[in-house]
Every structure is written in structure tokens, then in C-alpha cells.
Amino acid sequence: MQTELSKKLGVEHAIFGFTPFPAVAAAISRAGGFGVLGAVRYTASDDLKRDLDWIEAHVEGRPYGLDVVMPAKKAEAPNHRPLTEADVEAMIPEAHRQFVKDTLAKYGVPELDEGEASGWRITGWMEQVARSQLDVAFDYPIRLLANALGSPPADVVARAHEHDVLVAALAGSARHALKHKEAGIDIVVAQGYEAGGHTGEIASMVLTPEVVDAVDPLPVLAAGGIGSGQQAAAALALGAQGVWLGSIWLTVTEADLSSPAVTRKLLAAGSGDTVRSRALSGKPARQLRTEWTDAWDDPAGPGALPMPLQGLLVADALTRIQKYEIEPLLGTPVGQIVGRMNSERSVQAVFDDLTRGFEEAVDRMIRIAGRSGT
């Protein structure tokens, strides 16, 4: 499964795997794809350095990349300095804090132990945190820097290019993709409506060829609703030079999901069991539908706050829900491809399935084309 882009990056298969887990990223690269480590959960530079050290030791010299979250619009305090976590906390209305307390009380969610901090405060969505991650990352031989929320600032793009690092940005429309091209981005990831996490409103079958045409000759990766080799073949037929997969890795044996209950819910879910909700971050993000997302999407409630307020508001609550495995409220970002995630497999087993299905699909199309030409 080779394309011009995969050859440029030195990978056997044009399969790009986004994951928050270092072991999964390394396994994707070892299997012949391109592992991309998600950095949003790293609020401490030392933690990111530790995991990049680990990847370096286990990737067997194969290429890999990093995904950061730098909002397209910079949030600033009134005096024009970058927002701090304290600034954001002060902007959260008391009514929203009370709504969180009431919802957790309704389901009997215990408090954290005294002195126990939230396991995940979503400060990685603040630009200054992402910049500190880049200060670490550029000391490593990463080959790709991806940004999930639009084009990175111009100085970040220039800095990446100085380090011979390609820059990718996700786009949910051809209009967004054109902005990426104008910003000097090297690769556009066309992320369809079906995708997990932050996503737009256009389905992959429509979006991918629109973006390919809009940014030609830039390479495009197709994302959203892809979890089989047949779907990968369809993406390449639409003009993409590879596929960007995220959700499919959540249930691999190398993944380190903090809650066994989340894994069980993922394996049991069908493709109709996700919802685009602002409950997690303040921006529409596809995730498992739960009674938590229902509460935030209920018109009778206060509604989600904008990013990054919502993420900080719910961080402690999500830690409590996950720690105590309150199943009605327990969820995770995931795409509609969750309906195919029915068993725990290794990364290599997923790759074997993807490449086998790709070959079968290509052979089938060759036979069809051969018959039509006789």
C-alpha cells in the first residue's frame, strides 16, 4: 500500500495511526505504517520526553510523528497576554459548576481522595502548552507534526520545516483545507463527519475528493469511518495518498485505556452508538453516547461552554467517572467505526487485516475493470 507520500516518509504502508499511547504508536511504525503520538494529555514536558524516549527505544528506527492541539484562534486575557489555567477557571460560570455537581450527585459519583488531583486537565488545548511540547519534540527525529485544530501559527510551521519536519493539519471542509494550503501546510488530513474526536459535518465520501481537488498537488490523507482495507482502498480511489486512523487502535492489546469498562463499552457498541457533542471540550467531538453527553446536550441544561472553558470545567468530573467506572456516564472519543471494533487484537493483527482487505479490494476492482474493457 505505497503512495508517493508513503515513499517520501519511508514507510511500507500509507497507513497513519493517531494514538495517545506510546506503545501503540511504536507498534504502528514497526508494522510498516506511520505512528503518530497524540500530545494533548501531556501537561508536563518531562512526561512527554519520557514517552518519546520510550518510542525511540522501541520503534526500531522507523519514522513517527507527533500530534498537537493548537487552536486556530489564540485565547488571550484582557491585557493581551496568553490565558493561563487560572484565567480560564475564573471565567467558568457558577451555574455550570453547579450543574456538574448535581449531575455527579444524581449518579452517586464519589469524590476523589483528599489531595488527589485530576488525572487529566485539558491544558494541552492552550497554545503555550503546545509550544512547550514542541520545544521537547524538536529534539527528537520526528518526521511529521500534525495539528488537530487548524493550521499551526506561521512561526511553528517555519520551525518545523527548519527541522525537516512535514506539517499536517486536519480539515473538515474544502474551505478549511484551502486555508491550510495558503498557510504552507504540507499534508491535509480530510477528516469526515464519521471520525472520532473533533470533527465537522461533511461525510468522508463527499469530503475526501473535494479536499483533494481543492489543495492539489498537496497530498491528502483520508480520515473518518475507515477501519478496513476495503475502506482504505476506497480512500485512495478518491484521490487520497493514505489514510489516517485513530479510533481503531483504542481496543488493540497494546493500548492502555485506564478503564476496563470503557473497553467493554467500545467492544459492545454499534456504529450508531456515538454522538457529536460539545460535552468534552466545548467543540463538537464525536464520542460514545452516554448519559453524560445526554445531560450536556439536553436543551433544559446550561449547555457546554466554549473551548477551553468546558474542558477545564469537566476535567475533575471525568476523572471521578473514570476512576469509579460509573458506567452510565463513562465514555470516550471514538468514531462510527466503533461498530467494527468487536474484539481485542494486536496492532500487527489490525495491520494484517487492513493490508489483506486492501489487496482483495484492489484485485476485485482490477477484475471489474478488466471485464468492462472486453
Side-chain angles (χ1 to χ4, degrees), residues 37 39 45 48-49 52-53 56 64-68 70 127-147 152-168 185-186:
L37 178 67
S45 297
L48 179 58
K49 184 179 186 303
L52 289 175
D53 283 339
E56 273 292 297
Y64 63 94
L66 190 75
D67 178 281
V68 297
M70 302 185 78
E127 182 179 324
Q128 65 269 29
V129 176
R131 285 184 178 275
S132 70
Q133 294 166 350
L134 296 180
D135 289 339
V136 172
F138 286 134
D139 286 336
Y140 292 82
I142 62 170
R143 295 294 310 281
L144 176 71
L145 173 67
N147 187 41
D155 67 295
V156 172
V157 176
R159 187 179 178 191
H161 289 164
E162 288 171 2
H163 285 81
D164 197 27
V165 174
L166 297 179
V167 180
I185 300 302
D186 305 294

Side-chain angles (χ1 to χ4, degrees), residues 33-95:
F34 191 98
V36 181
L37 178 67
V40 70
R41 67 191 180 97
Y42 293 96
T43 57
S45 297
D46 287 347
D47 291 341
L48 179 58
K49 184 179 186 303
R50 177 202 64 213
D51 284 355
L52 289 175
D53 283 339
W54 191 94
I55 289 176
E56 273 292 297
H58 292 84
V59 81
E60 297 178 357
R62 305 293 182 90
Y64 63 94
L66 190 75
D67 178 281
V68 297
V69 178
M70 302 185 78
K73 295 182 179 179
K74 184 185 298 186
E76 294 181 331
N79 60 359
H80 302 296
R81 61 174 170 77
L83 280 177
T84 66
E85 184 174 339
D87 292 328
V88 176
E89 290 279 10
M91 297 167 66
I92 296 174
E94 184 56 37

